[in-house]
Amino acid sequence: QGAMFRCSARCCEDSSASMQEVQRCIERCHAPLAQAQAIVTAELEHFQDRLSRCSLQCQDQAKDTLDSGGSESRVRGQLDACLASCGDQHLRLVPQMARKMRDGLAAIQ
């Protein structure tokens, strides 16, 4: 953020620049931060979406078991195991997600 502040400060040093030029200059300084935020947000949304789909699948399976006469305790146990499996699967994806974020952020600089 220090570099972004210095960049923005330099935009204001040119006394011959119009307000629009200064504004565009400052926007260029902030662009890398906006790109970085977009990369992180996209990766987190993708991860959350995958986890949500897995959870919904667990709920569907539990409903199917209940509909076919499974006891409530059996269904609850099945749902808990399925959700735990979703969590485990997605925890294993975290390093890969972090690597993709790092690679994306490195490409900006």
Side-chain angles (χ1 to χ4, degrees):
Q1 280 205 336
M4 194 171 63
F5 177 77
R6 284 191 298 277
C7 178
S8 298
R10 279 195 301 273
C11 293
C12 302
E13 288 170 0
D14 183 359
S15 56
S16 66
S18 69
M19 279 304 295
Q20 273 187 323
E21 288 169 331
V22 171
Q23 185 65 40
R24 276 198 297 272
C25 180
I26 290 172
E27 283 169 7
R28 279 194 300 275
C29 293
H30 288 253
L33 178 62
Q35 285 176 287
Q37 286 174 328
I39 287 167
V40 171
T41 300
E43 281 302 320
L44 289 174
E45 282 177 354
H46 179 63
F47 180 80
Q48 197 171 8
D49 188 45
R50 287 181 66 156
L51 184 56
S52 179
R53 283 200 310 270
C54 189
S55 301
L56 287 171
Q57 199 171 1
C58 290
Q59 290 171 31
D60 287 344
Q61 288 170 2
K63 186 182 180 311
D64 291 344
T65 302
L66 200 59
D67 289 346
S68 64
S71 69
E72 201 173 314
S73 63
R74 180 177 160 220
V75 170
R76 189 173 290 120
Q78 177 189 329
L79 182 59
D80 288 348
C82 185
L83 291 172
S85 174
C86 282
D88 289 344
Q89 286 172 30
H90 286 79
L91 275 176
R92 286 195 292 273
L93 293 174
V94 169
Q96 179 186 338
M97 178 179 64
R99 196 165 42 250
K100 283 173 79 175
M101 284 183 190
R102 252 194 330 269
D103 291 348
L105 295 174
I108 293 171
Q109 297 158 7

